[in-house]
Amino acid sequence: MWRPRLVEGARMKYLGIVEALEADIRSGRVGRGERLPPQRAIAEVLNVDLTTVTRAFNEARRRGLVEAQAGRGSFISETLEANSSSEGSPPLIDLSMNIPPQPQVANLRKIFPQGISDILAGSRGLLSLHYQESNGAELDRQAGANWLGQRIDGATADRIVVAGGAQSALFGICDLLLRRGDVIAAGAVTYPGLKAVAMQKGILLEPLAMDEQGIIPDAFEKVCREKGPKVLYLIPTIDNPTTATLTEERRRALAALARRHGVAIVEDDPYAPLRPERLVAVAELASDITWHIATLSKCATPALRVAYVVAPNASQALRLAGVLRATILMAPPLMSALASRWISDGTLEGIANAIRAENVERQKLASSILRDIPFAADPHGHHLWLRLPDHWRAADFAEHADRAGVSIVASSAFATSAHPIEAVRISLGVAPDRGALEDALTLLSGLIAQPSLASRAVV
């Protein structure tokens, strides 16, 4: 069986997996017809999330390197030709990564290097190249407090921790609050990054029933009585993957239940800046038990590896900083300084507004092409959640879409229960332009309507 590895220097992690597999096939280290390890096992060995491995398998199938057999797994292709490679393959339209579009009006190619240049040219520029405190420099924590203060009362700088992205913040909070075998309650489908943390830490994920408004409070109360969770994980605004936004009533109900049962809340809220109206944050309703994570990756760019955590109090913020000191040491100082600059001069707000406007246009395009297919979406978000008709299984649909040249993510990547609904997440932001997005969505629309393909996918 293939021993998973990554090719160093690959443009993206998933391509590093594919290139390593292809090299091992060409060299004879792995033979044709051999079975590949399960995707979850590969993710654990390589310390990457499951969606990265799923993208790698999709690309490997597109190149003709592997074949999937429903119910049995994936195998090295028996019919692999000696000259097959990625060269000459049809371009893959990637709708799998949930990143924001980069509208031309935001002009990141210009303002990104210009902002860094201006910081380094300033009187305090060289300080941005030094080591910083693990909770973030005081100026950066104050900038985070100013930005979050627009939607969270009481988000003072002494409660703020600057982290190197939301994923490192989530890992640090879970490390602080949970021990192996503890239970964390989350939606029946949820952010794959949480699943990766749970697998790494030996934390048990308890699925919560959801509807079109998100997690159902009664389901949470039942789990509190029966399973004794230590933490409730929420994506309150434009949930990933379901796109649901919790109403204020439901936020208050969940906060009250968490306090009654002694459960801490992790409020992961990356999409709130994309909504035009202000929704009360759970961190406002239950500040003493809530850890609020706000990243810039969804309202600006993933390249800006900065996230702000609002801890329940200043003491807890310092405890989290201690965990980060032992893992990532500090957020990248230059990126933190750039984020502070963009917050103070209004650039960040301008980028978020441009992304929101582009999302609206892309969602309109999706609605027009998928008009006869039920799906959930937020008009200001950059993904949609499409429940498949009865003749399609999500894994089979994603595989057929990939073979046709469009990469999407099946519901199993998000599932916290054994039998997820048959659905796929389609990310609209990663397509380079609306023309490419229109081509991809048109292809998916046609694929859904072909039950004959679905029947042939079942072995």
Side-chain angles (χ1 to χ4, degrees), residues 373 386-393 422 448:
I373 304 168
L386 190 151
R387 295 193 66 161
L388 294 164
D390 292 340
H391 59 263
W392 272 114
R393 290 189 342 189
E422 302 297 344
I448 288 174

Side-chain angles (χ1 to χ4, degrees), residues 98-101 237-239 243-245 270-276 298 352 355-364 366 375-385 426-430 437:
N98 208 27
I99 65 174
T237 309
I238 315 181
D239 175 62
T243 77
T245 292
Y271 303 101
L274 299 177
R275 294 277 299 220
K298 306 301 183 185
I355 289 171
R356 183 191 303 131
E358 179 64 19
N359 281 344
V360 168
E361 294 305 314
R362 293 190 179 210
Q363 290 286 358
K364 289 179 181 177
F375 66 88
D378 185 289
H380 305 99
H382 35 256
H383 69 283
L384 58 86
W385 183 238
I426 301 173
S427 299
L428 309 181
V430 67
L437 178 61

Side-chain angles (χ1 to χ4, degrees), residues 146-341:
N146 293 342
W147 182 56
L148 288 167
Q150 300 171 27
R151 57 183 187 271
I152 303 176
D153 289 339
T156 53
D158 61 343
R159 292 175 57 199
I160 298 285
V161 176
V162 185
Q167 186 64 29
S168 64
L170 179 59
F171 184 92
I173 293 169
C174 288
D175 189 77
L176 186 63
L177 300 181
L178 297 160
R179 296 294 174 262
R180 182 171 293 274
D182 283 347
V183 174
I184 181 168
V189 286
T190 195
Y191 170 52
L194 176 68
K195 296 176 64 177
V197 172
M199 179 168 43
Q200 185 74 20
K201 298 292 297 176
I203 299 165
L204 304 178
L205 281 173
E206 187 62 33
L208 299 174
M210 307 173 75
D211 60 17
E212 66 279 358
Q213 295 181 15
I215 290 171
I216 300 171
D218 287 347
F220 177 49
E221 185 171 29
K222 185 174 185 292
V223 166
C224 287
R225 291 196 307 265
E226 297 177 358
K227 302 292 184 178
K230 296 291 184 64
V231 168
L232 169 64
Y233 175 81
L234 298 173
I235 305 175
T237 309
I238 315 181
D239 175 62
N240 180 16
T242 70
T243 77
T245 292
L246 292 169
T247 63
E248 181 174 339
E249 178 183 9
R250 193 164 288 197
R251 295 177 190 220
R252 290 184 180 277
L254 290 169
L257 287 169
R259 177 172 281 110
R260 185 186 310 161
H261 292 278
V263 179
I265 299 172
V266 175
E267 182 182 29
D268 194 354
D269 205 12
Y271 303 101
L274 299 177
R275 294 277 299 220
E277 77 280 10
R278 181 184 185 274
L279 288 170
V280 62
V282 178
E284 258 189 346
L285 302 174
S287 62
D288 56 320
I289 60 172
T290 301
W291 298 77
H292 182 96
I293 305 173
T295 179
L296 304 187
S297 65
K298 306 301 183 185
C299 65
T301 169
L304 198 63
R305 300 306 302 154
V306 177
Y308 303 102
V309 178
V310 184
N313 53 53
S315 175
Q316 294 282 57
L318 292 176
R319 290 185 64 204
L320 176 60
V323 175
L324 296 180
R325 187 177 302 117
T327 52
I328 64 167
L329 184 61
M330 61 182 180
L334 192 55
M335 293 297 98
S336 300
L338 182 60
S340 297
R341 184 183 187 89

